[in-house]
Amino acid sequence: MTATGRVRAEFGAAWNSFLRRRTAVFFTFFFPIILVLIFGALVQTQPTGGGLFAEPQAYYVPGYLATVVLFTPLSRVGSEIARHREGSRFEKLATTPLSRTEWLFAQTLVNVVIIGLAALLILALMVVVTGAEIPLSADLLLLIPFVVLGVVVFCGLGAVLGSVADSQDGVIAASNTIALPLLFLSETFVTPELLPDWFGPIVNLSPLTYFSRGVRALTYESAGLSDSVVAVNLAIVAALAVAFFAAGAYAIPRTE
């Protein structure tokens, strides 16, 4: 069997495994929906009121997309590796031609499909429910590589967490500990002006920051769509995706 065939087979198995977990399917899509409904429709924004949620609705599109790009890969890939370790499945996989890189690539593809669907749902809700004004142009198609590469970044990080955590509970605790600060401190929901000056350089250490900046340049007119801004942030996210994927594939244990 070729590498493509092995990845396809693993993708099919992982996809069917996801669909069998109906609770996971439900909350994967319910979480971003409830987030948009609560903060976008109920709390709403106050463009002239100052403070948190003081910007127009479209400003927060990167934040809502980040919830699925960040949380879903971390928890799903990390938990999947933890389950494999607890069931000694990596010992069985070590006897097959499927490499660790191919296994992680297949898992990442599953997450790309899942999160891609969730991202489309979020964008539709933002426009229909909150009235966010997202500029429609050919440039908007660049959201696809941003989402795909963002998923790769956090699938790689999730693989690292799943490989070092001692249990599935440990993976969930670690992923939440990492994801929650990143979600709010990566130029997503909290504007840079609300943070102290000394915290600015720290924001640049978050991989999610470059995802947010690029997506905002595409979806928020007041951000000023600039080819250089989009290209630079997309290049950074791409480089991070390669680095994190390589780290995640290396961290996956051969045996347990």
Side-chain angles (χ1 to χ4, degrees), residues 123 177 226 239 241 254:
L123 289 173
T177 300
S226 168
R254 294 183 182 275

Side-chain angles (χ1 to χ4, degrees), residues 78-230:
S79 297
E80 191 68 22
I81 289 179
R83 279 194 295 269
H84 273 57
R85 291 175 60 194
E86 291 171 0
S88 299
R89 298 181 190 176
F90 285 115
E91 292 184 1
K92 298 176 182 178
L93 284 176
T95 65
T96 71
L98 186 71
S99 68
R100 293 179 293 178
T101 300
E102 292 168 350
W103 184 89
L104 182 57
F105 185 63
Q107 298 293 329
T108 301
L109 287 178
V110 172
N111 279 276
V112 166
V113 174
I114 294 170
I115 295 165
L117 294 173
L120 285 174
L121 179 60
I122 289 172
L123 289 173
L125 284 174
M126 288 295 295
V127 173
V128 175
V129 177
T130 72
E133 297 180 359
I134 300 175
L136 296 177
S137 68
D139 292 324
L140 199 60
L141 292 175
L142 289 174
L143 282 177
I144 297 174
F146 269 108
V147 170
V148 171
L149 293 171
V151 171
V152 175
V153 168
F154 294 107
C155 279
L157 182 55
V160 173
L161 292 180
S163 299
V164 300
D166 57 0
S167 65
Q168 291 187 54
D169 290 339
V171 170
I172 294 173
S175 62
N176 287 337
T177 300
I178 293 173
L180 282 174
L182 288 182
L183 181 62
F184 290 98
L185 301 177
S186 301
E187 296 188 11
T188 47
F189 293 105
V190 180
T191 60
E193 293 77 15
L194 295 178
L195 299 173
D197 293 337
W198 60 265
F199 197 81
I202 298 177
V203 171
N204 293 326
L205 297 177
S206 168
L208 193 63
T209 297
Y210 304 100
F211 171 85
S212 300
R213 289 172 180 170
V215 171
R216 181 166 291 117
L218 292 169
T219 60
Y220 182 50
E221 286 183 327
S222 296
L225 179 59
S226 168
D227 291 340
S228 62
V229 171
V230 175

